[in-house]
Amino acid sequence: MSSSAPRFDRGHTDDLMSFLTAAPSPYHAVATAAERLEKAGFRQMLETDAWDGTSGGKYVLRGGAIIAWYVPEGAAAHTPFRIVGAHTDSPNLRVKPQPDMGAHGWRQIAVEIYGGPLLNSWLDRDLGLAGRLTLRDGTTRLVNIDRPLLRVPQLAIHMDRGIYEKGLQLDKQKHMQPIWGLGDVVHEGDLISFLEEETGLPAGEVSGWDLMTHSVEAPAYLGRDRELLAGPRMDNLLSVHSCTAALAAVSASGDLPYIPVLAAFDHEENGSQADTGADGPLLGSVLERSVFARGGSYEDKARAFAGTVCLSSDTGHAVHPNYGERHDPTHHPRANGGPILKVNVNQRYATDGSGRAVFAAACEKAGVPWQTFVSNNAMPCGTTIGPITAARHGIQTVDIGVAILSMHSARELCGADDPYLLANALSTFLAG
């Protein structure tokens, strides 16, 4: 392994558990990533300020997205980028604009379904509430009620005797509204008043909110030999954590042939079409401004982009022991088998043969085993930020990730070794 690429071990997985707990929303995820980068010497750049061309680590925050990059000393304006990409959002239940509701003596919170969650995984689970409050002066405040506050109760089997024949059927509007107390009278504004009290804000100070539920059960090692990891939001905070760790590590490793970049976007789970999503202008704007701040021209920017490669890291599907027939018969990614290369010839993933070679070289140099994922031809394939990044910015992109079970559940499962194997591959890729 190259001396310029730091080595991660099982301690990385321990740290991932802390990261998952600290990041119950995309806003918390980028704040936590930024805090870690600050400790590594990075500094925040405001989009409204003029940027300078100095070397060192820098980052931009916008909502639930973060773009961070490290400029080596003496880097030319046309120096290519090496990008590791991920997304910060996960499927969940999100609070509606008028949240206070109730029925039959139960106090409830009105929620909307975000992304494509496995709805049954949110039933009878102790839920907290987290996200972002916007104050009257336009500033924002993070909030995290990380204790049992809400619960979506399932109907008792005695009142749904046909469930074994017809299967569990959940109506997104009628059956997914959580309870949070008792009372016949619903006072409009109760939830926000409660959050103002919890965060020490004056009454009436909050004028907007972006709030979501999360399971308060802590991440944990699982199994006889503790070889598995169970936890929330691994799709895709597992990748955000590894990307952040890899960038922070290589920034301390001295001379680099590329400019390493972390690009973690919001709203992947609902199409990426947002100013903080991969289909928005944020990444291109930051990269362009970095080139121009170092005295570069449009020609320099074009040269830099032409030599840039992005590893889009998102979770994929490990072969399921109870549903093996749903997988491609010749591609069975296994937990703790190393990161996966994700391939789809219809460009649901951006990987091609030359991208495969880039990823294989990074894994070989890092001493990391790797696997290939491709969908069963009879099953629709998901997608990632990879094809969007490739098409929008014209840069070579390779889709990779870690194989997990229970994707889009409130609690997912992966091999406990795979997070640090991914981080090793990412750091070697960034180090060139």
Side-chain angles (χ1 to χ4, degrees):
M1 184 174 180
S2 169
S3 60
S4 62
R7 187 75 183 179
F8 297 97
D9 56 24
R10 192 64 171 264
H12 176 87
T13 305
D14 295 336
D15 190 61
L16 168 62
M17 297 166 72
S18 297
F19 188 89
L20 293 172
T21 300
S25 78
Y27 314 108
H28 290 82
V30 299
T32 304
E35 181 181 1
R36 291 168 177 237
L37 291 172
E38 289 270 0
K39 291 179 180 178
F42 285 66
R43 60 189 175 95
Q44 185 174 4
M45 305 292 287
L46 299 179
E47 293 184 81
T48 53
D49 289 348
W51 290 6
D52 58 52
T54 57
S55 60
K58 307 171 185 182
Y59 68 90
V60 166
L61 292 180
R62 183 192 291 183
I66 181 170
I67 310 294
W69 66 104
Y70 178 82
V71 180
E73 190 72 38
H78 61 268
T79 300
F81 302 94
R82 279 282 175 106
I83 304 171
V84 288
H87 67 87
T88 61
D89 59 320
S90 302
N92 55 23
L93 313 178
R94 301 207 171 186
V95 175
K96 288 185 174 181
Q98 296 179 351
D100 301 294
M101 62 177 293
H104 307 294
W106 295 97
R107 306 288 299 278
Q108 293 176 279
I109 300 299
V111 297
E112 191 173 4
I113 309 302
Y114 178 83
L118 289 172
L119 293 178
N120 61 291
S121 72
W122 291 88
L123 301 178
D124 297 327
R125 189 178 293 273
D126 295 338
L127 304 176
L129 197 62
R132 178 179 67 174
L133 302 174
T134 302
L135 310 186
R136 291 189 178 278
D137 62 2
T139 61
T140 58
R141 178 80 62 88
L142 295 184
V143 60
N144 180 13
I145 311 301
D146 194 30
R147 66 174 187 270
L149 181 69
L150 307 168
R151 186 180 178 94
V152 182
Q154 187 170 189
L155 184 64
I157 186 65
H158 312 81
M159 298 181 179
D160 193 10
R161 293 289 188 181
I163 191 172
Y164 294 123
E165 290 76 32
K166 67 183 180 181
L168 178 63
Q169 298 179 356
L170 295 172
D171 184 290
K172 293 180 180 180
Q173 178 61 40
K174 293 192 298 183
H175 300 151
M176 297 306 297
Q177 311 305 321
I179 62 173
W180 75 312
L182 299 171
D184 292 321
V185 180
V186 176
H187 301 284
E188 184 176 350
D190 271 3
L191 175 64
I192 301 307
S193 295
F194 165 75
L195 295 176
E196 287 172 336
E197 292 176 4
E198 288 286 313
T199 53
L201 292 168
E205 186 67 19
V206 174
S207 59
W209 51 88
D210 302 280
L211 299 167
M212 59 207 71
T213 59
H214 66 275
S215 170
V216 299
E217 186 179 0
Y221 287 111
L222 184 145
R224 184 192 66 180
D225 299 319
R226 294 164 56 87
E227 60 193 338
L228 300 171
L229 176 66
R233 299 177 297 282
M234 284 196 274
D235 178 16
N236 186 32
L237 293 188
L238 186 159
S239 293
V240 174
H241 174 256
S242 287
C243 290
T244 303
L247 177 62
V250 300
S251 70
S253 61
D255 187 38
L256 297 169
Y258 303 101
I259 295 174
V261 179
L262 158 67
F265 301 101
D266 199 356
H267 296 300
E268 188 272 347
E269 296 293 356
N270 57 11
S272 294
Q273 292 185 323
D275 69 320
T276 53
D279 204 19
L282 182 58
L283 177 61
S285 172
V286 169
L287 298 185
E288 287 177 354
R289 292 184 69 176
S290 174
V291 170
F292 298 153
R294 285 177 281 123
S297 63
Y298 178 84
E299 183 71 11
D300 291 314
K301 175 239 175 179
R303 293 174 65 189
F305 277 42
T308 292
V309 183
C310 172
L311 293 188
S312 164
S313 181
D314 202 346
T315 53
H317 302 292
V319 61
H320 198 299
N322 299 334
Y323 300 90
E325 74 283 357
R326 302 295 182 98
H327 299 263
D328 182 84
T330 59
H331 296 77
H332 283 174
R334 297 173 180 264
N336 287 337
I340 56 174
L341 179 74
K342 303 164 78 171
V343 178
N344 179 264
V345 295
N346 294 301
Q347 288 297 291
R348 300 291 286 174
Y349 303 131
T351 306
D352 61 11
S354 60
R356 183 184 192 274
V358 171
F359 179 64
C363 289
E364 180 179 359
K365 192 174 181 180
V368 168
W370 60 280
Q371 313 173 80
T372 304
F373 170 82
V374 65
S375 288
N376 184 309
N377 288 340
M379 301 285 172
C381 179
T383 190
T384 69
I385 66 168
I388 296 171
T389 303
R392 183 170 184 85
H393 306 294
I395 58 179
Q396 182 181 22
T397 303
V398 188
D399 273 298
I400 66 165
V402 162
I404 70 171
L405 292 181
S406 306
M407 186 183 294
H408 286 198
S409 172
R411 194 168 178 86
E412 297 160 325
L413 185 72
C414 76
D417 296 342
D418 283 329
Y420 71 80
L421 294 175
L422 172 65
N424 284 326
L426 293 176
S427 65
T428 301
F429 166 75
L430 289 178

